[in-house]
Amino acid sequence: MSDTHAETVAFVRDTMLPQQEPPASTVGFLGWSKTNLFTGPFNTIVTVLCSVFIVWLLWMLIPWLLSPTWNATSLGECREFLVAAGRVGEHGASGACWGVIRERWIQLLFGFYPADLYWRPILAFVLLFVALAPVLFSDKVPGRLLMFTMIYPFLFPWLLWGGTIWSPICAALGFVILFAGVKYLSGVIGQLASIIVSVLAAAAWWLFVSGAVQDALASILPLAIQSVPSRDFGGMMLSITIGVVAIACSLPLGIVLALGRRSDLLIVKSLCVGFIEFIRGVPLITLLFVASTLLNIFMPPGTSFDIILRVIIMATLFASAYMAEVIRGGLAALPKGQYEGADSLGLDYWQSQRLIIMPQALKISIPGIVSTFIGLFKDTTLVSVIGLLDPLGLTNSIRADQAWNGIVWELYGFIAVLFFIFCFGMSRYSMYLENRLKTDHR
């Protein structure tokens, strides 16, 4: 009997149950809310309190934002429009006065740059994204664009400031002298000596020869566009100009300082440590005051040193000190085996840094590097204290107009949105870059 029962009972299911939908409480928004917002009494209370606060904030903010004042030409007209629309509370007319943004948004973007030349900064910043594409998206952009990326640093200032075309060409020739000297002299006098000689030769070209050659070429073939003085720069154009140049220059300078701080050469290490600690111990606003008032004292008589260039130099030095510490942290995080592996391959110091050490250190340091970039870009608003008309500096001149005297939140809110767009873009790119360079498979 037991044998017969054993032969007739099936231990493997030969029919499938019909497929059923998952419980509604585990999928979709309801499931996500249960998992993330209502996992316990404490989380539930916090979620409810935060939801009430957000609803109250939106209830107060949205009517203020949706104000029918876009066509107003003064603060008084804004109040008249609000009264006509029934936006009158116990403290008077309530609502944003967006007329100031409609009337002054171009000034907030370009400052006092000549209106008929707006195409030049627009073209310069459009070409900026083209030049950055091979660097930011190297796997999706043709490598031939790298040639334009190398040309763009000389094209950018020429488009903004104008003048003769021979000025950026002569500046570029200095870098040609620098790289040619390093390439062809390293096998003759050694790598370090070739770098020193090439730097001195390039500096001599820029300081003593370039100006005469530029004037001679300009007299023979006067190719130039209208010059725009630095005092006409302002608005977001000024902030982007200072931020982009300082960001682009601070990263390589920070790498050099980080390597110098870890160097075994006592003099090099001492100089780098002294520079980093001094810059990090001084507020940026102090350096900007030095750039605006004291720097000309140490220049030869009659020397005209552009104020924006002075600010860019100080901002670059300030950011490079912080960048050096961020990169030094990435270098310190690498295991010793990476250095030993580079030595076992027979690579010299610079080859190991370029091919093995520095790529990994920069990958580790991406969050800190981008945070430094964002902080530097926001710090460009400090130039208003030395008389440059960045977006915040322009708000004072706008509010000095009797028609807009008393406008505050609308101007600051518009500027905050502009800065948020750029900073959020940098943050999202850093996340994209981290995911693209991720080598683990978790």
Side-chain angles (χ1 to χ4, degrees):
M1 183 66 178
S2 60
D3 295 338
T4 304
H5 180 73
E7 292 175 358
T8 58
V9 175
F11 291 95
V12 179
R13 183 185 297 275
D14 56 3
T15 59
M16 297 297 294
L17 293 176
Q19 188 174 1
Q20 297 181 355
E21 294 291 336
S25 60
T26 60
V27 295
F29 176 76
L30 189 61
W32 178 87
S33 301
K34 184 178 180 180
T35 304
N36 296 278
L37 302 178
F38 302 99
T39 53
F42 180 75
N43 270 5
T44 301
I45 294 173
V46 171
T47 299
V48 171
L49 293 177
C50 291
S51 300
V52 171
F53 174 75
I54 292 173
V55 170
W56 174 81
L57 186 64
L58 293 176
W59 180 265
M60 301 294 292
L61 189 61
I62 290 178
W64 185 84
L65 293 174
L66 300 179
S67 176
T69 55
W70 284 99
N71 295 322
T73 58
S74 67
L75 181 58
E77 282 194 17
C78 284
R79 291 169 177 166
E80 292 176 3
F81 289 162
L82 291 172
V83 171
R87 299 288 190 86
V88 181
E90 56 184 61
H91 300 291
S94 175
C97 185
W98 296 122
V100 65
I101 304 300
R102 181 191 59 82
E103 186 174 294
R104 298 299 185 98
W105 69 273
I106 293 180
Q107 186 179 6
L108 289 171
L109 292 181
F110 296 102
F112 297 100
Y113 205 86
D116 58 329
L117 300 180
Y118 282 162
W119 65 271
R120 281 166 42 179
I122 292 174
L123 178 61
F125 293 125
V126 169
L127 294 179
L128 171 64
F129 291 102
V130 177
L132 288 176
V135 179
L136 302 181
F137 308 100
S138 57
D139 55 338
K140 300 179 180 179
V141 177
R144 290 174 293 181
L145 273 179
L146 277 173
M147 183 60 67
F148 178 74
T149 304
M150 298 173 63
I151 297 173
Y152 182 78
F154 308 99
L155 180 63
F156 178 74
W158 180 67
L159 283 174
L160 292 181
W161 276 272
T164 175
I165 187 64
W166 301 113
S167 178
I169 292 177
C170 289
L173 286 176
F175 287 94
V176 173
I177 294 172
L178 176 63
F179 289 112
V182 173
K183 181 177 180 181
Y184 295 108
L185 294 179
S186 58
V188 179
I189 59 177
Q191 190 173 31
L192 181 59
S194 67
I195 293 175
I196 296 174
V197 171
S198 300
V199 169
L200 293 176
W205 165 264
W206 286 322
L207 294 175
F208 306 110
V209 183
S210 176
V213 173
Q214 174 183 322
D215 294 338
L217 292 173
S219 62
I220 297 173
L221 194 61
L223 299 176
I225 57 178
Q226 179 180 340
S227 297
V228 179
S230 293
R231 66 176 178 270
D232 292 341
F233 282 55
M236 283 301 297
M237 183 188 70
L238 177 62
S239 294
I240 296 174
T241 300
I242 297 174
V244 166
V245 178
I247 285 172
C249 297
S250 64
L251 180 58
L253 184 57
I255 293 174
V256 172
L257 290 171
L259 294 176
R261 183 157 190 167
R262 293 172 57 87
S263 173
D264 294 329
L265 301 175
L266 179 61
I267 296 179
V268 173
K269 182 176 182 178
S270 300
L271 289 175
C272 292
V273 171
F275 174 83
I276 292 171
E277 297 302 330
F278 172 76
I279 294 296
R280 292 175 68 205
V282 177
L284 177 58
I285 193 171
T286 304
L287 298 178
L288 294 178
F289 274 119
V290 170
S292 64
T293 58
L294 300 180
L295 203 58
N296 275 346
I297 297 176
F298 301 98
M299 303 299 295
T303 302
S304 178
F305 201 3
D306 188 86
I307 180 63
I308 295 180
L309 180 59
R310 284 181 269 165
V311 169
I312 289 175
I313 291 174
M314 288 301 180
T316 301
L317 296 178
F318 182 80
S320 65
Y322 287 87
M323 191 69 65
E325 291 300 282
V326 171
I327 296 173
R328 186 170 70 93
L331 291 170
L334 290 181
K336 188 178 180 180
Q338 297 295 323
Y339 296 89
E340 295 173 347
D343 294 337
S344 67
L345 294 174
L347 302 178
D348 61 24
Y349 176 80
W350 293 109
Q351 288 175 330
S352 63
Q353 290 292 338
R354 180 170 60 89
L355 300 174
I356 296 178
I357 304 302
M358 193 54 64
Q360 298 183 74
L362 292 178
K363 174 188 169 183
I364 295 172
S365 306
I366 286 175
I369 291 174
V370 175
S371 295
T372 304
F373 286 166
I374 292 174
L376 174 60
F377 182 67
K378 292 188 295 184
D379 284 343
T380 57
T381 56
L382 293 175
V383 300
S384 61
V385 302
I386 59 172
L388 292 180
L389 297 177
D390 73 311
L392 291 182
L394 282 172
T395 59
N396 295 327
S397 62
I398 293 174
R399 287 187 286 113
D401 187 347
Q402 186 176 1
W404 303 114
N405 189 9
I407 295 290
V408 178
W409 293 106
E410 295 83 348
L411 293 171
Y412 288 152
F414 181 72
I415 294 170
V417 169
L418 293 178
F419 274 93
F420 174 79
I421 291 172
F422 285 96
C423 295
F424 183 72
M426 286 189 279
S427 176
R428 297 303 299 180
Y429 174 76
S430 71
M431 296 176 63
Y432 158 80
L433 190 61
E434 288 182 59
N435 292 329
R436 185 162 68 89
L437 297 179
K438 187 179 295 183
T439 54
D440 57 347
H441 301 283
R442 292 179 294 177

